[in-house]
Amino acid sequence: QVQLVESGGGLVQPGGSLRLSCLASGRVFSINTMGWYRQAPGKERELVATITDTGNINYADSVKGRFTISRDGAKNTVYLQMSSLKPEDTAVYYCNARRVILKVTDYWGKGTLVTVSS
């Protein structure tokens, strides 16, 4: 099992910045990909950014150039640096860890709320 705990959410004004952190514990050696997803009120959960254990990174088009995902293997932590935030970035942000061994297993954190408002 893998446990994920997010932190860093909060209220920020449009144009501002926030950094989210996700600490992984448990069987972290088996994780292939970590990432961030978000779910806005009334909408489905969507991918924000992912990073593999080999450093390959993928971003949603809506956040390219504004968000940066990074991973600290020594600390078992993945970060999401968010800049130039917009009201439409308001959502609950969830950390995800994916293990691919014969089958795909996803682990999720409980989420952290990001509110972009003046």
Side-chain angles (χ1 to χ4, degrees):
Q1 292 292 329
V2 175
Q3 294 79 42
L4 303 171
V5 178
E6 303 100 334
S7 61
L11 174 64
V12 62
Q13 293 187 342
S17 300
L18 275 178
R19 189 177 81 156
L20 305 182
S21 300
C22 173
L23 174 63
S25 60
R27 299 184 63 181
V28 297
F29 61 89
S30 65
I31 297 172
N32 302 106
T33 302
M34 293 192 72
W36 291 93
Y37 291 70
R38 66 186 181 187
Q39 187 167 16
K43 295 187 177 181
E44 294 187 351
R45 190 174 297 186
E46 63 176 5
L47 179 147
V48 176
T50 60
I51 182 168
T52 70
D53 52 359
T54 57
N56 291 321
I57 291 174
N58 180 49
Y59 292 105
D61 288 342
S62 59
V63 306
K64 283 181 180 177
R66 300 189 298 122
F67 290 11
T68 301
I69 189 170
S70 61
R71 186 171 178 175
D72 187 333
K75 296 182 179 180
N76 295 325
T77 301
V78 64
Y79 303 96
L80 185 69
Q81 178 67 49
M82 305 185 293
S83 303
S84 302
L85 283 161
K86 305 174 182 180
E88 51 264 43
D89 294 316
T90 295
V92 177
Y93 284 70
Y94 296 91
C95 181
N96 169 268
R98 173 166 290 184
R99 181 176 68 206
V100 181
I101 301 177
L102 300 180
K103 65 176 182 178
V104 175
T105 303
D106 282 310
Y107 300 94
W108 296 94
K110 293 183 178 181
T112 185
L113 177 63
V114 173
T115 303
V116 184
S117 176
S118 55

